[in-house]
Amino acid sequence: MRSLAVAATVLFTLCGSVHAQQNFDTVQVRSQKVAAGVYMLTGAGGNIGLSIGDDAVFVVDDQYAPLTPKILAAIAQLTDKPVRFVVNTHWHWDHTGGNEAMGKAGALLVAHDNVRRRMSSEQVNEFLQRTTPASPPGALPVITFSDTVTFHINGDDVVAFHVANAHTDGDAFILWRKANVVHAGDVFFNGRFPFIDLSSGGSIDGMIAAIDILLTLGDENAKIIPGHGELGDRATVREYGKMLKTVRDRVRQQKAAGRSLEQTLATHPTAEFDARWGTGFIKPDQFVTMVYQSVSTTRR
Ligand SMILES: [Zn+2]
């Protein structure tokens, strides 16, 4: 159990206590053009997707509450239109922290049913050893969907649709049909091993199934905004999906053969991927631990 305890401690330091330790005063919110009328904003927490145009501002995810003024200032550099919609890719604190302020300023908050359900009550994450209190009522999505919802805005058809039990049980991909852009939320971590929130219904098999769906959205030139990391494309998502499958298959083999987590970690199933994917906040052993705990040993 030692490696698991170490994994949890490191993670808690890096993300569990981020509210207490991070100085948001020093965070800069930057915008990057992705396609005509579509931008990615980075600051601290999950990447933000933005649609601007003749109608209004449409926002995907909103990082942390203290950053809302900086996010709104960055948006104001691009357009004088108000924020009318905020869609959350999932419930996590680093993607929904700005909800309350955005809602108060007049935005409609939209997300999958399970996002509202999880934000409505205290959530305990075993892996991160983190307890997240219920969100204030004003931060909760006011429109929820079970499968899909389409926004006809700024000359595009922007579709939010649910993918089952991947990073959490409430994930949505957001597809700009005309602009050929997808916001993949935390199903896609670019350049780093992903966090899979097993306590929120996430699973490695669901992550892999969702990545296969992601590769069908838009066309070969689609731009893909990850939950964390740099703007990606189909080539990076393919590489990421291959990494997920390879590690999952190796870990499943070990687990199916009755090997313990410690024995599986000792075989170092991520070895050739560590240089490319192992330098983010999820370290190789932590990723293997999540995969081991999650993987079904019944081949589907
Ligand atoms: Zn997340």
Side-chain angles (χ1 to χ4, degrees):
M1 285 307 288
R2 190 191 59 82
S3 53
L4 183 54
V6 170
T9 304
V10 171
L11 266 175
F12 182 75
T13 306
L14 287 172
C15 37
S17 59
V18 74
H19 292 286
Q21 290 183 354
Q22 188 157 4
N23 181 1
F24 289 106
D25 294 346
T26 60
V27 173
Q28 290 190 311
V29 175
R30 294 194 171 86
S31 61
Q32 175 183 355
K33 188 168 183 177
V34 178
V38 184
Y39 290 79
M40 174 170 122
L41 303 190
T42 52
N47 292 326
I48 294 172
L50 203 64
S51 164
I52 62 170
D54 292 338
D55 299 327
V57 181
F58 172 97
V59 175
V60 181
D61 288 349
D62 50 29
Q63 300 192 344
Y64 294 103
L67 294 174
T68 302
K70 290 182 186 182
I71 292 165
L72 291 176
I75 293 172
Q77 296 283 314
L78 303 168
T79 174
D80 57 5
K81 295 281 195 297
V83 178
R84 200 156 134 211
F85 298 100
V86 171
V87 179
N88 299 126
T89 58
H90 62 295
W91 76 269
H92 282 156
W93 49 91
D94 55 331
H95 297 255
T96 57
N99 273 20
E100 189 177 24
M102 294 281 195
K104 272 190 185 140
L108 272 176
L109 308 174
V110 184
H112 183 262
D113 297 335
N114 289 340
V115 173
R116 183 178 165 98
R117 186 171 65 79
R118 290 200 177 273
M119 288 178 74
S120 299
S121 63
E122 180 180 280
Q123 298 294 311
V124 178
N125 186 286
E126 288 170 28
F127 196 87
L128 299 180
Q129 298 181 347
R130 178 198 165 103
T131 299
T132 307
S135 298
L140 301 179
V142 295
I143 298 174
T144 63
F145 57 93
S146 57
D147 183 29
T148 180
V149 60
T150 303
F151 301 83
H152 305 277
I153 188 167
N154 297 331
D156 209 334
D157 300 316
V158 186
V159 190
F161 63 95
H162 177 54
V163 283
N165 300 90
H167 174 65
T168 66
D169 61 5
D171 301 311
F173 287 153
I174 319 297
L175 166 67
W176 282 255
R177 284 200 188 281
K178 290 182 186 162
N180 199 24
V181 176
V182 189
H183 193 312
D186 281 1
V187 175
F188 178 34
F189 277 57
N190 194 3
R192 53 200 83 180
F193 291 129
F195 172 55
I196 308 171
D197 188 348
L198 308 185
S199 296
S200 295
S203 72
I204 182 63
D205 289 334
M207 291 280 279
I208 290 167
I211 287 301
D212 286 342
I213 292 169
L214 181 57
L215 287 166
T216 68
L217 303 179
D219 68 19
E220 197 51 37
N221 299 314
K223 297 275 197 301
I224 302 171
I225 300 173
H228 299 271
E230 293 177 6
L231 181 65
D233 56 17
R234 279 203 177 175
T236 27
V237 171
R238 269 192 206 102
E239 195 190 349
Y240 172 77
K242 203 172 153 191
M243 177 275 290
L244 293 183
K245 283 178 191 169
T246 305
V247 175
R248 188 267 315 264
D249 290 350
R250 285 176 187 165
V251 171
R252 180 168 58 192
Q253 203 173 25
Q254 301 278 337
K255 191 174 173 179
R259 308 239 164 76
S260 67
L261 171 61
E262 284 71 18
Q263 288 169 323
T264 304
L265 287 168
T267 66
H268 205 172
T270 60
E272 77 266 35
F273 301 112
D274 289 353
R276 169 86 169 92
W277 306 92
T279 56
F281 69 93
I282 299 291
K283 302 303 176 211
D285 281 2
Q286 296 169 324
F287 179 54
V288 171
T289 299
M290 284 184 283
V291 173
Y292 184 92
Q293 289 173 343
S294 167
V295 73
S296 163
T297 50
T298 315
R299 200 173 267 276
R300 296 193 301 180

PDB file of all heavy atoms in Angstrom, residues 62 65 86 88 90-91 95-104 107-111 115-116 119-120 133-143:
ATOM      1  N   ASP A  62     -15.076  27.194 -16.682  1.00  0.00           N
ATOM      2  CA  ASP A  62     -14.737  28.524 -16.159  1.00  0.00           C
ATOM      3  C   ASP A  62     -13.735  28.530 -15.001  1.00  0.00           C
ATOM      4  O   ASP A  62     -13.745  29.445 -14.165  1.00  0.00           O
ATOM      5  CB  ASP A  62     -16.011  29.296 -15.809  1.00  0.00           C
ATOM      6  CG  ASP A  62     -16.972  28.479 -14.943  1.00  0.00           C
ATOM      7  OD1 ASP A  62     -16.501  27.607 -14.178  1.00  0.00           O
ATOM      8  OD2 ASP A  62     -18.194  28.696 -15.026  1.00  0.00           O
ATOM      9  N   ALA A  65     -13.162  30.326  -9.162  1.00  0.00           N
ATOM     10  CA  ALA A  65     -13.913  31.554  -8.864  1.00  0.00           C
ATOM     11  C   ALA A  65     -13.050  32.825  -8.832  1.00  0.00           C
ATOM     12  O   ALA A  65     -13.431  33.837  -9.412  1.00  0.00           O
ATOM     13  CB  ALA A  65     -14.678  31.397  -7.549  1.00  0.00           C
ATOM     14  N   VAL A  86     -22.834  29.263 -20.325  1.00  0.00           N
ATOM     15  CA  VAL A  86     -21.653  28.543 -19.845  1.00  0.00           C
ATOM     16  C   VAL A  86     -22.011  27.066 -19.856  1.00  0.00           C
ATOM     17  O   VAL A  86     -23.023  26.669 -19.258  1.00  0.00           O
ATOM     18  CB  VAL A  86     -21.250  28.962 -18.415  1.00  0.00           C
ATOM     19  CG1 VAL A  86     -20.163  28.033 -17.874  1.00  0.00           C
ATOM     20  CG2 VAL A  86     -20.779  30.408 -18.379  1.00  0.00           C
ATOM     21  N   ASN A  88     -20.503  23.303 -18.854  1.00  0.00           N
ATOM     22  CA  ASN A  88     -19.439  22.602 -18.128  1.00  0.00           C
ATOM     23  C   ASN A  88     -19.193  21.230 -18.749  1.00  0.00           C
ATOM     24  O   ASN A  88     -20.146  20.483 -18.986  1.00  0.00           O
ATOM     25  CB  ASN A  88     -19.807  22.406 -16.650  1.00  0.00           C
ATOM     26  CG  ASN A  88     -20.034  23.699 -15.897  1.00  0.00           C
ATOM     27  OD1 ASN A  88     -21.065  23.886 -15.277  1.00  0.00           O
ATOM     28  ND2 ASN A  88     -19.071  24.607 -15.956  1.00  0.00           N
ATOM     29  N   HIS A  90     -17.650  18.836 -17.198  1.00  0.00           N
ATOM     30  CA  HIS A  90     -17.874  17.917 -16.073  1.00  0.00           C
ATOM     31  C   HIS A  90     -17.866  18.733 -14.783  1.00  0.00           C
ATOM     32  O   HIS A  90     -17.656  19.939 -14.841  1.00  0.00           O
ATOM     33  CB  HIS A  90     -16.844  16.783 -16.050  1.00  0.00           C
ATOM     34  CG  HIS A  90     -15.412  17.218 -15.869  1.00  0.00           C
ATOM     35  ND1 HIS A  90     -14.746  17.983 -16.802  1.00  0.00           N
ATOM     36  CD2 HIS A  90     -14.516  17.018 -14.863  1.00  0.00           C
ATOM     37  CE1 HIS A  90     -13.507  18.201 -16.384  1.00  0.00           C
ATOM     38  NE2 HIS A  90     -13.342  17.637 -15.206  1.00  0.00           N
ATOM     39  N   TRP A  91     -18.072  18.082 -13.645  1.00  0.00           N
ATOM     40  CA  TRP A  91     -18.347  18.842 -12.417  1.00  0.00           C
ATOM     41  C   TRP A  91     -17.100  19.364 -11.697  1.00  0.00           C
ATOM     42  O   TRP A  91     -17.218  20.197 -10.805  1.00  0.00           O
ATOM     43  CB  TRP A  91     -19.162  17.988 -11.427  1.00  0.00           C
ATOM     44  CG  TRP A  91     -18.359  16.937 -10.696  1.00  0.00           C
ATOM     45  CD1 TRP A  91     -18.165  15.659 -11.087  1.00  0.00           C
ATOM     46  CD2 TRP A  91     -17.657  17.079  -9.451  1.00  0.00           C
ATOM     47  NE1 TRP A  91     -17.374  14.985 -10.173  1.00  0.00           N
ATOM     48  CE2 TRP A  91     -17.054  15.838  -9.154  1.00  0.00           C
ATOM     49  CE3 TRP A  91     -17.475  18.138  -8.553  1.00  0.00           C
ATOM     50  CZ2 TRP A  91     -16.280  15.622  -8.004  1.00  0.00           C
ATOM     51  CZ3 TRP A  91     -16.695  17.928  -7.402  1.00  0.00           C
ATOM     52  CH2 TRP A  91     -16.112  16.674  -7.142  1.00  0.00           C
ATOM     53  N   HIS A  95     -13.079  23.371 -13.215  1.00  0.00           N
ATOM     54  CA  HIS A  95     -13.812  23.639 -14.466  1.00  0.00           C
ATOM     55  C   HIS A  95     -15.124  24.371 -14.219  1.00  0.00           C
ATOM     56  O   HIS A  95     -15.752  24.852 -15.159  1.00  0.00           O
ATOM     57  CB  HIS A  95     -14.113  22.324 -15.207  1.00  0.00           C
ATOM     58  CG  HIS A  95     -12.886  21.587 -15.633  1.00  0.00           C
ATOM     59  ND1 HIS A  95     -12.448  21.549 -16.938  1.00  0.00           N
ATOM     60  CD2 HIS A  95     -11.967  20.877 -14.910  1.00  0.00           C
ATOM     61  CE1 HIS A  95     -11.321  20.837 -17.002  1.00  0.00           C
ATOM     62  NE2 HIS A  95     -11.013  20.425 -15.789  1.00  0.00           N
ATOM     63  N   THR A  96     -15.564  24.419 -12.943  1.00  0.00           N
ATOM     64  CA  THR A  96     -16.879  24.988 -12.617  1.00  0.00           C
ATOM     65  C   THR A  96     -16.796  26.118 -11.582  1.00  0.00           C
ATOM     66  O   THR A  96     -17.822  26.644 -11.162  1.00  0.00           O
ATOM     67  CB  THR A  96     -17.817  23.900 -12.042  1.00  0.00           C
ATOM     68  OG1 THR A  96     -17.187  23.315 -10.882  1.00  0.00           O
ATOM     69  CG2 THR A  96     -18.092  22.803 -13.059  1.00  0.00           C
ATOM     70  N   GLY A  97     -15.575  26.462 -11.171  1.00  0.00           N
ATOM     71  CA  GLY A  97     -15.413  27.436 -10.079  1.00  0.00           C
ATOM     72  C   GLY A  97     -15.994  28.802 -10.396  1.00  0.00           C
ATOM     73  O   GLY A  97     -16.402  29.535  -9.486  1.00  0.00           O
ATOM     74  N   GLY A  98     -16.049  29.169 -11.657  1.00  0.00           N
ATOM     75  CA  GLY A  98     -16.573  30.479 -12.027  1.00  0.00           C
ATOM     76  C   GLY A  98     -18.079  30.493 -12.260  1.00  0.00           C
ATOM     77  O   GLY A  98     -18.657  31.539 -12.582  1.00  0.00           O
ATOM     78  N   ASN A  99     -18.729  29.327 -12.104  1.00  0.00           N
ATOM     79  CA  ASN A  99     -20.155  29.229 -12.439  1.00  0.00           C
ATOM     80  C   ASN A  99     -21.020  30.267 -11.722  1.00  0.00           C
ATOM     81  O   ASN A  99     -21.874  30.904 -12.334  1.00  0.00           O
ATOM     82  CB  ASN A  99     -20.693  27.825 -12.077  1.00  0.00           C
ATOM     83  CG  ASN A  99     -20.490  26.815 -13.193  1.00  0.00           C
ATOM     84  OD1 ASN A  99     -19.664  26.997 -14.078  1.00  0.00           O
ATOM     85  ND2 ASN A  99     -21.233  25.718 -13.130  1.00  0.00           N
ATOM     86  N   GLU A 100     -20.804  30.387 -10.419  1.00  0.00           N
ATOM     87  CA  GLU A 100     -21.697  31.239  -9.634  1.00  0.00           C
ATOM     88  C   GLU A 100     -21.639  32.691 -10.128  1.00  0.00           C
ATOM     89  O   GLU A 100     -22.674  33.327 -10.359  1.00  0.00           O
ATOM     90  CB  GLU A 100     -21.336  31.156  -8.150  1.00  0.00           C
ATOM     91  CG  GLU A 100     -22.378  31.840  -7.283  1.00  0.00           C
ATOM     92  CD  GLU A 100     -22.075  31.708  -5.789  1.00  0.00           C
ATOM     93  OE1 GLU A 100     -20.885  31.508  -5.433  1.00  0.00           O
ATOM     94  OE2 GLU A 100     -23.023  31.833  -4.996  1.00  0.00           O
ATOM     95  N   ALA A 101     -20.402  33.180 -10.310  1.00  0.00           N
ATOM     96  CA  ALA A 101     -20.250  34.573 -10.755  1.00  0.00           C
ATOM     97  C   ALA A 101     -20.751  34.758 -12.184  1.00  0.00           C
ATOM     98  O   ALA A 101     -21.397  35.769 -12.505  1.00  0.00           O
ATOM     99  CB  ALA A 101     -18.785  34.991 -10.654  1.00  0.00           C
ATOM    100  N   MET A 102     -20.490  33.787 -13.038  1.00  0.00           N
ATOM    101  CA  MET A 102     -20.963  33.878 -14.430  1.00  0.00           C
ATOM    102  C   MET A 102     -22.498  33.866 -14.459  1.00  0.00           C
ATOM    103  O   MET A 102     -23.124  34.607 -15.227  1.00  0.00           O
ATOM    104  CB  MET A 102     -20.432  32.698 -15.256  1.00  0.00           C
ATOM    105  CG  MET A 102     -18.925  32.688 -15.436  1.00  0.00           C
ATOM    106  SD  MET A 102     -18.390  33.850 -16.718  1.00  0.00           S
ATOM    107  CE  MET A 102     -16.705  33.283 -16.985  1.00  0.00           C
ATOM    108  N   GLY A 103     -23.094  33.014 -13.621  1.00  0.00           N
ATOM    109  CA  GLY A 103     -24.551  32.940 -13.549  1.00  0.00           C
ATOM    110  C   GLY A 103     -25.144  34.248 -13.047  1.00  0.00           C
ATOM    111  O   GLY A 103     -26.133  34.753 -13.595  1.00  0.00           O
ATOM    112  N   LYS A 104     -24.519  34.806 -12.019  1.00  0.00           N
ATOM    113  CA  LYS A 104     -25.010  36.079 -11.467  1.00  0.00           C
ATOM    114  C   LYS A 104     -24.928  37.196 -12.494  1.00  0.00           C
ATOM    115  O   LYS A 104     -25.754  38.108 -12.515  1.00  0.00           O
ATOM    116  CB  LYS A 104     -24.176  36.468 -10.234  1.00  0.00           C
ATOM    117  CG  LYS A 104     -24.721  35.880  -8.954  1.00  0.00           C
ATOM    118  CD  LYS A 104     -24.037  36.483  -7.730  1.00  0.00           C
ATOM    119  CE  LYS A 104     -24.520  35.776  -6.474  1.00  0.00           C
ATOM    120  NZ  LYS A 104     -23.449  35.540  -5.511  1.00  0.00           N
ATOM    121  N   ALA A 107     -25.337  34.667 -17.247  1.00  0.00           N
ATOM    122  CA  ALA A 107     -25.166  33.498 -18.126  1.00  0.00           C
ATOM    123  C   ALA A 107     -26.066  32.355 -17.671  1.00  0.00           C
ATOM    124  O   ALA A 107     -26.280  32.159 -16.474  1.00  0.00           O
ATOM    125  CB  ALA A 107     -23.713  33.048 -18.113  1.00  0.00           C
ATOM    126  N   LEU A 108     -26.560  31.591 -18.637  1.00  0.00           N
ATOM    127  CA  LEU A 108     -27.280  30.358 -18.327  1.00  0.00           C
ATOM    128  C   LEU A 108     -26.248  29.245 -18.194  1.00  0.00           C
ATOM    129  O   LEU A 108     -25.408  29.058 -19.080  1.00  0.00           O
ATOM    130  CB  LEU A 108     -28.242  30.011 -19.467  1.00  0.00           C
ATOM    131  CG  LEU A 108     -29.651  30.621 -19.407  1.00  0.00           C
ATOM    132  CD1 LEU A 108     -30.410  30.240 -20.677  1.00  0.00           C
ATOM    133  CD2 LEU A 108     -30.399  30.126 -18.175  1.00  0.00           C
ATOM    134  N   LEU A 109     -26.337  28.496 -17.101  1.00  0.00           N
ATOM    135  CA  LEU A 109     -25.381  27.413 -16.845  1.00  0.00           C
ATOM    136  C   LEU A 109     -25.982  26.096 -17.327  1.00  0.00           C
ATOM    137  O   LEU A 109     -27.102  25.744 -16.949  1.00  0.00           O
ATOM    138  CB  LEU A 109     -25.074  27.330 -15.343  1.00  0.00           C
ATOM    139  CG  LEU A 109     -24.637  28.641 -14.669  1.00  0.00           C
ATOM    140  CD1 LEU A 109     -24.506  28.441 -13.156  1.00  0.00           C
ATOM    141  CD2 LEU A 109     -23.319  29.142 -15.255  1.00  0.00           C
ATOM    142  N   VAL A 110     -25.220  25.382 -18.143  1.00  0.00           N
ATOM    143  CA  VAL A 110     -25.721  24.158 -18.787  1.00  0.00           C
ATOM    144  C   VAL A 110     -24.711  23.025 -18.575  1.00  0.00           C
ATOM    145  O   VAL A 110     -23.500  23.252 -18.695  1.00  0.00           O
ATOM    146  CB  VAL A 110     -25.902  24.375 -20.316  1.00  0.00           C
ATOM    147  CG1 VAL A 110     -26.522  23.148 -20.974  1.00  0.00           C
ATOM    148  CG2 VAL A 110     -26.736  25.625 -20.600  1.00  0.00           C
ATOM    149  N   ALA A 111     -25.202  21.830 -18.267  1.00  0.00           N
ATOM    150  CA  ALA A 111     -24.305  20.667 -18.130  1.00  0.00           C
ATOM    151  C   ALA A 111     -25.112  19.375 -18.133  1.00  0.00           C
ATOM    152  O   ALA A 111     -26.352  19.400 -18.092  1.00  0.00           O
ATOM    153  CB  ALA A 111     -23.500  20.767 -16.835  1.00  0.00           C
ATOM    154  N   VAL A 115     -23.642  16.295 -13.644  1.00  0.00           N
ATOM    155  CA  VAL A 115     -22.846  17.430 -13.164  1.00  0.00           C
ATOM    156  C   VAL A 115     -23.628  18.146 -12.073  1.00  0.00           C
ATOM    157  O   VAL A 115     -23.124  18.429 -10.982  1.00  0.00           O
ATOM    158  CB  VAL A 115     -22.499  18.392 -14.317  1.00  0.00           C
ATOM    159  CG1 VAL A 115     -21.833  19.653 -13.788  1.00  0.00           C
ATOM    160  CG2 VAL A 115     -21.607  17.685 -15.339  1.00  0.00           C
ATOM    161  N   ARG A 116     -24.880  18.424 -12.353  1.00  0.00           N
ATOM    162  CA  ARG A 116     -25.718  19.087 -11.334  1.00  0.00           C
ATOM    163  C   ARG A 116     -25.878  18.185 -10.111  1.00  0.00           C
ATOM    164  O   ARG A 116     -25.793  18.646  -8.977  1.00  0.00           O
ATOM    165  CB  ARG A 116     -27.084  19.439 -11.919  1.00  0.00           C
ATOM    166  CG  ARG A 116     -27.943  20.181 -10.905  1.00  0.00           C
ATOM    167  CD  ARG A 116     -29.305  20.595 -11.436  1.00  0.00           C
ATOM    168  NE  ARG A 116     -30.163  20.970 -10.320  1.00  0.00           N
ATOM    169  CZ  ARG A 116     -30.374  22.213  -9.912  1.00  0.00           C
ATOM    170  NH1 ARG A 116     -29.823  23.223 -10.532  1.00  0.00           N
ATOM    171  NH2 ARG A 116     -31.143  22.463  -8.865  1.00  0.00           N
ATOM    172  N   MET A 119     -22.586  18.264  -8.116  1.00  0.00           N
ATOM    173  CA  MET A 119     -22.330  19.583  -7.516  1.00  0.00           C
ATOM    174  C   MET A 119     -23.325  19.900  -6.400  1.00  0.00           C
ATOM    175  O   MET A 119     -23.066  20.759  -5.564  1.00  0.00           O
ATOM    176  CB  MET A 119     -22.413  20.684  -8.593  1.00  0.00           C
ATOM    177  CG  MET A 119     -21.237  20.660  -9.555  1.00  0.00           C
ATOM    178  SD  MET A 119     -21.380  21.927 -10.842  1.00  0.00           S
ATOM    179  CE  MET A 119     -20.993  23.419  -9.898  1.00  0.00           C
ATOM    180  N   SER A 120     -24.444  19.190  -6.384  1.00  0.00           N
ATOM    181  CA  SER A 120     -25.491  19.469  -5.394  1.00  0.00           C
ATOM    182  C   SER A 120     -25.198  18.848  -4.035  1.00  0.00           C
ATOM    183  O   SER A 120     -25.879  19.152  -3.056  1.00  0.00           O
ATOM    184  CB  SER A 120     -26.846  18.931  -5.881  1.00  0.00           C
ATOM    185  OG  SER A 120     -27.205  19.556  -7.083  1.00  0.00           O
ATOM    186  N   PRO A 133     -17.112  20.256  -0.898  1.00  0.00           N
ATOM    187  CA  PRO A 133     -18.464  20.529  -0.395  1.00  0.00           C
ATOM    188  C   PRO A 133     -19.447  20.774  -1.537  1.00  0.00           C
ATOM    189  O   PRO A 133     -19.041  21.067  -2.665  1.00  0.00           O
ATOM    190  CB  PRO A 133     -18.292  21.805   0.442  1.00  0.00           C
ATOM    191  CG  PRO A 133     -17.013  22.418  -0.027  1.00  0.00           C
ATOM    192  CD  PRO A 133     -16.165  21.323  -0.602  1.00  0.00           C
ATOM    193  N   ALA A 134     -20.730  20.662  -1.219  1.00  0.00           N
ATOM    194  CA  ALA A 134     -21.757  20.982  -2.222  1.00  0.00           C
ATOM    195  C   ALA A 134     -21.571  22.426  -2.680  1.00  0.00           C
ATOM    196  O   ALA A 134     -21.180  23.294  -1.901  1.00  0.00           O
ATOM    197  CB  ALA A 134     -23.142  20.798  -1.620  1.00  0.00           C
ATOM    198  N   SER A 135     -21.837  22.678  -3.957  1.00  0.00           N
ATOM    199  CA  SER A 135     -21.699  24.034  -4.497  1.00  0.00           C
ATOM    200  C   SER A 135     -22.883  24.884  -4.064  1.00  0.00           C
ATOM    201  O   SER A 135     -23.972  24.357  -3.827  1.00  0.00           O
ATOM    202  CB  SER A 135     -21.660  23.984  -6.023  1.00  0.00           C
ATOM    203  OG  SER A 135     -20.541  23.255  -6.452  1.00  0.00           O
ATOM    204  N   PRO A 136     -22.701  26.198  -3.985  1.00  0.00           N
ATOM    205  CA  PRO A 136     -23.850  27.063  -3.684  1.00  0.00           C
ATOM    206  C   PRO A 136     -24.896  26.951  -4.795  1.00  0.00           C
ATOM    207  O   PRO A 136     -24.543  26.664  -5.945  1.00  0.00           O
ATOM    208  CB  PRO A 136     -23.236  28.468  -3.639  1.00  0.00           C
ATOM    209  CG  PRO A 136     -21.901  28.360  -4.279  1.00  0.00           C
ATOM    210  CD  PRO A 136     -21.453  26.933  -4.173  1.00  0.00           C
ATOM    211  N   PRO A 137     -26.166  27.138  -4.465  1.00  0.00           N
ATOM    212  CA  PRO A 137     -27.231  26.959  -5.471  1.00  0.00           C
ATOM    213  C   PRO A 137     -26.987  27.753  -6.746  1.00  0.00           C
ATOM    214  O   PRO A 137     -27.268  27.269  -7.852  1.00  0.00           O
ATOM    215  CB  PRO A 137     -28.484  27.462  -4.738  1.00  0.00           C
ATOM    216  CG  PRO A 137     -28.178  27.290  -3.292  1.00  0.00           C
ATOM    217  CD  PRO A 137     -26.701  27.495  -3.140  1.00  0.00           C
ATOM    218  N   GLY A 138     -26.416  28.941  -6.624  1.00  0.00           N
ATOM    219  CA  GLY A 138     -26.192  29.783  -7.799  1.00  0.00           C
ATOM    220  C   GLY A 138     -25.132  29.263  -8.751  1.00  0.00           C
ATOM    221  O   GLY A 138     -24.988  29.767  -9.867  1.00  0.00           O
ATOM    222  N   ALA A 139     -24.367  28.237  -8.322  1.00  0.00           N
ATOM    223  CA  ALA A 139     -23.327  27.668  -9.186  1.00  0.00           C
ATOM    224  C   ALA A 139     -23.829  26.467  -9.973  1.00  0.00           C
ATOM    225  O   ALA A 139     -23.135  25.953 -10.851  1.00  0.00           O
ATOM    226  CB  ALA A 139     -22.127  27.249  -8.340  1.00  0.00           C
ATOM    227  N   LEU A 140     -25.034  26.008  -9.649  1.00  0.00           N
ATOM    228  CA  LEU A 140     -25.541  24.779 -10.276  1.00  0.00           C
ATOM    229  C   LEU A 140     -26.078  25.045 -11.675  1.00  0.00           C
ATOM    230  O   LEU A 140     -26.710  26.073 -11.916  1.00  0.00           O
ATOM    231  CB  LEU A 140     -26.681  24.191  -9.425  1.00  0.00           C
ATOM    232  CG  LEU A 140     -26.330  23.831  -7.987  1.00  0.00           C
ATOM    233  CD1 LEU A 140     -27.571  23.293  -7.274  1.00  0.00           C
ATOM    234  CD2 LEU A 140     -25.205  22.803  -7.951  1.00  0.00           C
ATOM    235  N   PRO A 141     -25.834  24.114 -12.595  1.00  0.00           N
ATOM    236  CA  PRO A 141     -26.432  24.239 -13.928  1.00  0.00           C
ATOM    237  C   PRO A 141     -27.946  24.368 -13.820  1.00  0.00           C
ATOM    238  O   PRO A 141     -28.581  23.644 -13.048  1.00  0.00           O
ATOM    239  CB  PRO A 141     -26.048  22.922 -14.611  1.00  0.00           C
ATOM    240  CG  PRO A 141     -24.821  22.462 -13.882  1.00  0.00           C
ATOM    241  CD  PRO A 141     -24.990  22.920 -12.463  1.00  0.00           C
ATOM    242  N   VAL A 142     -28.520  25.296 -14.577  1.00  0.00           N
ATOM    243  CA  VAL A 142     -29.978  25.479 -14.541  1.00  0.00           C
ATOM    244  C   VAL A 142     -30.654  24.719 -15.679  1.00  0.00           C
ATOM    245  O   VAL A 142     -31.852  24.493 -15.652  1.00  0.00           O
ATOM    246  CB  VAL A 142     -30.387  26.970 -14.609  1.00  0.00           C
ATOM    247  CG1 VAL A 142     -29.912  27.701 -13.371  1.00  0.00           C
ATOM    248  CG2 VAL A 142     -29.851  27.646 -15.857  1.00  0.00           C
ATOM    249  N   ILE A 143     -29.881  24.361 -16.690  1.00  0.00           N
ATOM    250  CA  ILE A 143     -30.393  23.495 -17.753  1.00  0.00           C
ATOM    251  C   ILE A 143     -29.486  22.277 -17.780  1.00  0.00           C
ATOM    252  O   ILE A 143     -28.262  22.417 -17.883  1.00  0.00           O
ATOM    253  CB  ILE A 143     -30.358  24.188 -19.126  1.00  0.00           C
ATOM    254  CG1 ILE A 143     -31.258  25.435 -19.108  1.00  0.00           C
ATOM    255  CG2 ILE A 143     -30.775  23.230 -20.246  1.00  0.00           C
ATOM    256  CD1 ILE A 143     -31.175  26.270 -20.375  1.00  0.00           C
TER     257      ILE A 143
END
